[in-house]
């Protein structure tokens, strides 16, 4: 099996995601704010997938010694560098998650729930218990539980599958036109930081992170057919979870 086989297997789910009716429902700044208040959790747990890969594929402990394939170490560290310490719109270092929070605040979206969630994590609360007890929507709970179940497999190729095929690579281009349209109809609402976030993702994903992530999958799976099958399974499941999240956000907007 190869990357081409995986791409063929997930194509119907990618098409379903790209043609989701959610995009046609985001017409006002309030619609966009509802989307952001849900999507921020996907932005955050994307970083958890990334750090899980770094912890597994590189050595982040002391005393240090080299771990695994140097090519894979390079790939994951390059992606971490950009995702965790990129340049924001003001030319300062910031993670993409922090950029997203700033974009939410500037657009008037409510960040209370995500801040409360992260504060509980920082206090040391078990992630699964927190997800169960949190006041976040059930759709987000299901989405997060799936992510952390994948992380807990401690299988790099499965985590890399969720990271590479199930996440942000399809999303940014869809929102360029949506943000532009909303901003045109509601010029008083400042969506500039939100637009910058997605513009930056497109730039990085197309030029750097996309090819790097695919190469990482190839390096991790090699000639092992079982690993390729697991990558396919996780990739499909990840896209299904994203579609389900989109379904619930659309329902919230239409309420």
């Amino acid at each position: 099996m190869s990357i081409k086989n995986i791409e063929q297997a997930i194509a119907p789910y990618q098409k379903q995601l790209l043609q989701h009716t959610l995009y046609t429902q985001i017409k006002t700044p309030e619609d966009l704010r509802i989307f952001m208040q849900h999507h921020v959790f996907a932005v955050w747990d994307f970083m958890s997938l990334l750090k899980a890969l770094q912890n597994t594929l590189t050595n982040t402990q002391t005393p240090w010694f080299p771990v695994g394939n140097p090519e894979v170490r390079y790939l994951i560290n390059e992606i971490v560098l950009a995702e965790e310490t990129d340049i924001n719109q003001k030319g300062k270092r910031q993670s993409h998650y922090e950029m997203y929070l700033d974009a939410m605040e500037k657009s008037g979206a409510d960040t209370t729930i995500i801040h409360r969630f992260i504060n509980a994590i920082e206090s040391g609360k078990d992630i699964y218990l927190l997800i169960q007890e949190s006041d976040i929507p059930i759709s987000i709970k299901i989405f997060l539980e799936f992510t952390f179940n994948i992380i807990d497999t401690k299988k790099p190729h499965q985590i890399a599958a969720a990271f590479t095929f199930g996440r942000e690579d399809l999303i940014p281009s869809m929102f360029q036109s949506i943000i532009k349209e909303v901003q045109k109809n509601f010029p008083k609402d400042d969506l500039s930081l939100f637009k910058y976030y997605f513009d930056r993702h497109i730039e990085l994903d197309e030029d750097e992170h996309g090819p790097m992530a695919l190469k990482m999958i190839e390096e991790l799976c090699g000639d092992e057919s079982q690993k390729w099958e697991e990558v396919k399974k996780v990739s499909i499941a990840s896209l299904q979870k994203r579609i389900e999240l989109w379904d619930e956000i659309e329902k919230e907007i239409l309420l």
Side-chain angles (χ1 to χ4, degrees):
M1 196 177 290
S2 65
I3 291 293
K4 185 177 179 181
N5 298 127
I6 301 298
E7 290 174 338
Q8 289 173 342
I10 65 176
Y13 304 95
Q14 289 180 321
K15 183 178 179 180
Q16 190 177 346
L17 186 59
L18 287 169
Q19 295 178 351
H20 201 288
T21 51
L22 166 66
Y23 308 119
T24 63
Q25 303 301 336
I26 302 176
K27 301 172 183 176
T28 70
E30 180 55 30
D31 296 337
L32 200 53
R33 285 191 281 269
I34 290 171
F35 170 81
M36 294 171 85
Q37 287 158 198
H38 288 72
H39 183 237
V40 67
F41 286 90
V43 174
W44 168 74
D45 83 337
F46 175 80
M47 287 301 300
S48 296
L49 283 168
L50 178 57
K51 298 305 283 188
L53 284 171
Q54 188 182 37
N55 290 338
T56 305
L57 300 175
T58 75
N59 193 341
T60 57
Q61 299 178 343
T62 56
W64 180 89
F65 53 89
V67 169
N69 185 323
E71 187 68 20
V72 172
R73 292 200 304 260
Y74 170 77
L75 293 171
I76 198 65
N77 283 331
E78 277 290 305
I79 296 173
V80 168
L81 179 66
E83 292 287 344
E84 198 167 29
T85 55
D86 199 9
I87 298 292
N88 68 16
Q89 195 178 39
K90 295 180 180 178
K92 303 216 171 178
R93 293 287 174 189
Q94 202 174 34
S95 71
H96 286 185
Y97 166 73
E98 290 165 312
M99 287 185 200
Y100 201 92
L101 284 179
D102 285 351
M104 289 180 69
E105 289 168 0
K106 191 160 191 175
S107 70
D110 188 359
T111 59
T112 304
I113 294 177
I114 183 65
H115 277 306
R116 187 159 56 232
F117 188 87
I118 298 302
N119 288 341
I121 290 173
E122 290 174 350
S123 70
K125 192 158 191 176
D126 175 77
I127 184 61
Y128 292 106
L129 185 60
L130 174 58
I131 291 170
Q132 290 172 9
E133 295 180 350
S134 174
D135 55 356
I136 59 178
I138 185 66
S139 57
I140 298 174
K141 291 184 178 185
I142 293 170
F143 189 85
L144 293 180
E145 283 176 351
F146 174 80
T147 296
F148 284 94
N149 282 332
I150 294 297
I151 289 172
D152 282 349
T153 66
K154 301 194 184 306
K155 294 182 177 180
H157 62 287
Q158 291 194 25
I159 301 171
F163 176 85
T164 301
F165 296 111
R167 306 305 299 219
E168 306 298 327
D169 57 328
L170 294 173
I171 308 305
S173 58
M174 301 302 299
F175 281 90
Q176 277 186 322
S177 57
I178 292 172
I179 294 167
K180 184 178 179 181
E181 192 66 23
V182 172
Q183 187 75 84
K184 181 178 75 176
N185 294 326
F186 300 89
K188 290 183 180 179
D189 290 87
D190 191 345
L191 305 175
S192 59
L193 291 184
F194 196 37
K195 182 178 182 302
Y196 180 85
Y197 169 86
F198 281 113
D199 286 347
R200 189 67 184 135
H201 255 286
I202 290 170
E203 182 180 350
L204 287 172
D205 287 345
E206 289 181 353
D207 297 339
E208 300 174 33
H209 293 182
M212 283 183 178
L214 294 178
K215 188 171 178 61
M216 178 171 59
I217 293 281
E218 289 178 331
E219 292 282 351
L220 290 172
C221 290
D223 297 325
E224 297 184 53
S225 58
Q226 183 176 342
K227 286 186 177 180
W228 281 108
E229 283 295 336
E230 290 175 355
V231 163
K232 182 173 74 171
K233 182 179 178 181
V234 170
S235 299
I236 290 172
S238 297
L239 287 166
Q240 289 174 326
K241 294 300 177 187
R242 175 60 64 107
I243 291 165
E244 290 169 10
L245 180 62
W246 261 214
D247 290 343
E248 294 306 313
I249 295 175
E250 182 178 24
K251 288 177 185 177
E252 183 76 17
I253 288 173
L254 292 174
L255 282 178

